[in-house]
C-alpha cells in the first residue's frame, strides 16, 4: 500500500492522484484520508440504499441516475467526498468520469465511527453544493434515516424509521424499509 501524500492538494490534483492509487479516499481541506474498511452490515445496507434509489428513479420515470459508492462529489476547491450512493439528474455522465458535478441526493451509511463527521462536516459540506437538495444519513444499527433537505435559505431535518420518504426534487418516493438489509 502506498503512503498517503504528505502535501496538500487541490481537488483536481487529488483526482489525478487517485487514478493511480486504488482504494477509497476522501479529500478534506486538501488532505487525503483513507476510508476505513467496512463491516458486512454497512456493505449490505449500502447496496440496499443503491438498489432502492435506482428502483425509485425507474418508478418515477425521471431523467436521473442513481450511482453507487465510488463517485466523487466536489464540495469546494480542496474537499471531496465519496458518498455511499447518490442521484444526479440530467444528461448521463461520461463513462470514464469519476466525479458527479450535479448530485441532487447524497447518502452516507453511518457507522459509530463516522456519525459525528456525517452529521457535522459532511452535512455542512454537502449543502455547499448548490445542486444537492437531500442528504440522507442511514443508520443501519438504529434502522433510522436522518433526512436533511434544502428548505429556503437553510435546511430542515427529519428522523424517519418507517413510511415513505418523498424526495422532491427530483420527485422520488423511497420506502424507508427498502434502505435496510433484510433482518
Amino acid at each position: 500500500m502506498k503512503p498517503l501524500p504528505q502535501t496538500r492538494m487541490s481537488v483536481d490534483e487529488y483526482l489525478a492522484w487517485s487514478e493511480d492509487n486504488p482504494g477509497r479516499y476522501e479529500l478534506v481541506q486538501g488532505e487525503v484520508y483513507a476510508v476505513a474498511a467496512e463491516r458486512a452490515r454497512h456493505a449490505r445496507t449500502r447496496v440496499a440504499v443503491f438498489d432502492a434509489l435506482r428502483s425509485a428513479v425507474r418508478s418515477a420515470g425521471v431523467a436521473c441516475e442513481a450511482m453507487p459508492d465510488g463517485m466523487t462529489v466536489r464540495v469546494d476547491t480542496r474537499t471531496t467526498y465519496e458518498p455511499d450512493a447518490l442521484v444526479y439528474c440530467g444528461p448521463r455522465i461520461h463513462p470514464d468520469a469519476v466525479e458527479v458535478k450535479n448530485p441532487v441526493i447524497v447518502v452516507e451509511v453511518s457507522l459509530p465511527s463516522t456519525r459525528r463527521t456525517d452529521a457535522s462536516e459532511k452535512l455542512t459540506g454537502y449543502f455547499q453544493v448548490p445542486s444537492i437538495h437531500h442528504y440522507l444519513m442511514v443508520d443501519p444499527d438504529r434502522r433510522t434515516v436522518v433526512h436533511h433537505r434544502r428548505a429556503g435559505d437553510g435546511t430542515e431535518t427529519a428522523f424517519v424509521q418507517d413510511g415513505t420518504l418523498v424526495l422532491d426534487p427530483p420527485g422520488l418516493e423511497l420506502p424507508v424499509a427498502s434502505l435496510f438489509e433484510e433482518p
Side-chain angles (χ1 to χ4, degrees):
M1 177 195 237
K2 292 183 179 180
L4 297 179
Q6 298 300 307
T7 59
R8 289 185 180 268
M9 297 183 187
S10 70
V11 170
D12 292 331
E13 292 166 333
Y14 164 75
L15 292 174
W17 173 87
S18 68
E19 289 285 323
D20 296 326
N21 292 279
R24 290 195 62 204
Y25 303 97
E26 291 185 327
L27 183 71
V28 179
Q29 298 300 313
E31 293 185 45
V32 176
Y33 290 90
V35 176
E38 63 186 354
R39 306 252 188 256
R41 178 183 306 200
H42 184 270
R44 288 181 184 123
T45 303
R46 188 173 38 75
V47 170
V49 165
F50 169 68
D51 287 346
L53 288 170
R54 184 171 54 180
S55 178
V57 166
R58 288 179 179 161
S59 293
V62 293
C64 301
E65 184 175 8
M67 299 295 289
D69 70 314
M71 300 304 299
T72 299
V73 173
R74 183 184 305 238
V75 171
D76 59 33
T77 61
R78 295 215 175 261
T79 302
T80 66
Y81 296 132
E82 287 191 17
D84 289 309
L86 62 81
V87 172
Y88 74 93
C89 299
R92 285 189 80 141
I93 61 174
H94 189 276
D96 293 328
V98 295
E99 179 180 359
V100 175
K101 297 183 186 254
N102 60 340
V104 177
I105 302 166
V106 291
V107 182
E108 295 287 354
V109 177
S110 295
L111 299 166
S113 63
T114 65
R115 280 187 192 119
R116 179 172 289 152
T117 300
D118 292 346
S120 57
E121 287 95 352
K122 287 189 177 183
L123 172 61
T124 302
Y126 280 135
F127 280 106
Q128 289 178 29
V129 179
S131 64
I132 294 177
H133 286 268
H134 305 277
Y135 170 36
L136 306 178
M137 295 170 27
V138 177
D139 185 333
D141 296 325
R142 297 176 179 145
R143 294 184 67 87
T144 301
V145 177
V146 181
H147 176 201
H148 302 284
R149 72 177 185 88
R150 195 175 295 277
D153 291 336
T155 58
E156 292 178 353
T157 301
F159 296 82
V160 185
Q161 291 185 311
D162 56 21
T164 300
L165 288 169
V166 176
L167 305 174
D168 194 27
L172 305 183
E173 292 189 10
L174 195 60
V176 173
S178 70
L179 299 172
F180 298 98
E181 68 167 312
E182 293 298 315

